Amino acid sequence: MPDTAMLQVRDLNVLYGDYQVLWDVSMEVGQGEVVAVLGPNGSGKSTVLKAIMGLAPVKSGAVMFEGKDLTKVPTHEMVGLGISMVLERRRLFSQMTVRENVLLGAYHRSVNKETKSRLEWVENMFPILAERRDQVAGRMSGGEQQMVAIARSLMSKPRLLLMDEPYLGLAPRIVKQIADMIKRVNQEGITVIFNEQNVQLSFGLSDRGYLLEGGRVVLSGTGDEMIHSDVIRRVYLGA
Ligand SMILES: Nc1ncnc2c1ncn2[C@@H]1O[C@H](COP(=O)(O)OP(=O)(O)O)[C@@H](O)[C@H]1O
Ligand SMILES: [Mg+2]
């Protein structure tokens, strides 16, 4: 557990109508960490990220970010606080070029005066973006599109980056590239929370993880702690 949490999710309950999706979910994320939210399809991973971003109906509980309760902050103000999210399945504008897509990440007033320097920073970090800047996003591979989506989210100068299943649909070789990219982002001091179904895949990237089942946290710990737990060995590693 981190000494001082950047983000604290406390006893979060989320209901869609009468249907409860998250049950007393609590998580802590320390400054500079990479934390994985794990669990099978439908376990509530995306809902956790959406709840942090104010995009899910929170019934009770709190999401504290640097001392501020995000459940009381409108979603459009989160970018200004230093929070950015990469949506599941990338959601690029497929008719637009790589650079046009990346530039869209700098729309917010808190950064739009710095667009040029942000673009330089992002293209410097990931030179392929500059090489491919005029390519139409829709014609790129899944992995390349994921890179563009990550780059776009970095344009808003986040200190906390949320990623919903960044590996989804990618071949193992590409997963490695995306993992390296996320590590690189983390080395720049950006805290990362990502969702992943495949527990094993997540371990190479995350410092710690939380395992969800049926909307409840059933296990948490470092990759090492989790890989040796009975639940993980039985359910996910087929031991
Ligand atoms: N907008 C919604 N309305 C009703 N139910 C939803 C909605 N979004 C998600 N759910 C339900 O909440 C549960 C958790 O979904 P989700 O957070 O997307 O899981 P995961 O990301 O782990 O696959 C699922 O049973 C899903 O059907
Ligand atoms: Mg999901």
Side-chain angles (χ1 to χ4, degrees):
M1 213 53 98
D3 285 350
T4 49
M6 178 189 228
L7 185 85
Q8 273 186 311
V9 175
R10 292 190 200 142
D11 299 320
L12 202 61
N13 287 287
V14 169
L15 280 84
Y16 286 105
D18 292 336
Y19 182 58
Q20 185 150 1
V21 175
L22 296 184
W23 302 76
D24 294 322
V25 167
S26 293
M27 296 179 179
E28 285 200 358
V29 180
Q31 160 76 45
E33 276 195 305
V34 179
V35 168
V37 179
L38 307 166
N41 201 8
S43 60
K45 302 182 298 299
S46 294
T47 305
V48 169
L49 298 192
K50 285 181 190 156
I52 294 170
M53 294 300 291
L55 297 169
V58 172
K59 178 76 192 300
S60 64
V63 179
M64 304 304 292
F65 176 72
E66 298 177 337
K68 189 175 267 178
D69 188 354
L70 293 184
T71 62
K72 297 179 172 57
V73 175
T75 302
H76 66 266
E77 284 180 16
M78 303 241 175
V79 170
L81 293 179
I83 306 173
S84 185
M85 180 157 164
V86 183
L87 296 169
E88 194 179 323
R89 297 190 182 279
R90 278 74 80 178
R91 312 265 178 95
L92 297 181
F93 289 89
S94 58
Q95 306 299 320
M96 289 167 64
T97 66
V98 167
R99 180 163 284 175
E100 285 165 344
N101 270 285
V102 171
L103 285 172
L104 284 176
Y107 71 91
H108 193 267
R109 65 177 186 287
S110 63
V111 287
N112 64 16
K113 288 198 180 68
E114 298 169 48
T115 302
K116 196 160 167 280
S117 61
R118 289 306 289 172
L119 185 65
E120 271 171 25
W121 179 78
V122 168
E123 288 187 342
N124 221 351
M125 192 163 24
F126 305 113
I128 189 175
L129 295 167
E131 289 158 23
R132 302 289 186 83
R133 67 177 178 231
D134 297 323
Q135 192 167 340
V136 171
R139 293 215 202 94
M140 301 179 99
S141 70
E144 289 165 343
Q145 291 193 23
Q146 185 61 276
M147 285 189 192
V148 177
I150 294 170
R152 179 178 60 186
S153 70
L154 293 175
M155 289 295 288
S156 68
K157 223 177 177 177
R159 284 175 294 121
L160 174 64
L161 186 62
L162 310 179
M163 310 182 77
D164 200 347
E165 301 212 30
Y167 295 161
L168 194 70
L170 304 181
R173 183 174 53 86
I174 312 298
V175 163
K176 167 102 178 38
Q177 286 174 14
I178 297 298
D180 288 344
M181 185 177 186
I182 298 170
K183 280 179 195 159
R184 181 82 179 77
V185 167
N186 182 241
Q187 281 163 6
E188 294 292 325
I190 298 170
T191 306
V192 177
I193 307 176
F194 72 100
N195 289 352
E196 175 54 47
Q197 277 192 49
N198 183 324
V199 169
Q200 261 174 308
L201 268 188
S202 75
F203 287 146
L205 181 58
S206 57
D207 298 308
R208 293 186 305 112
Y210 290 87
L211 178 66
L212 291 174
E213 275 179 10
R216 290 182 161 88
V217 175
V218 293
L219 186 70
S220 66
T222 63
D224 238 25
E225 285 164 356
M226 291 184 85
I227 212 159
H228 290 110
S229 88
D230 287 344
V231 187
I232 295 282
R233 288 165 59 83
R234 185 165 33 81
V235 181
Y236 296 91
L237 306 179

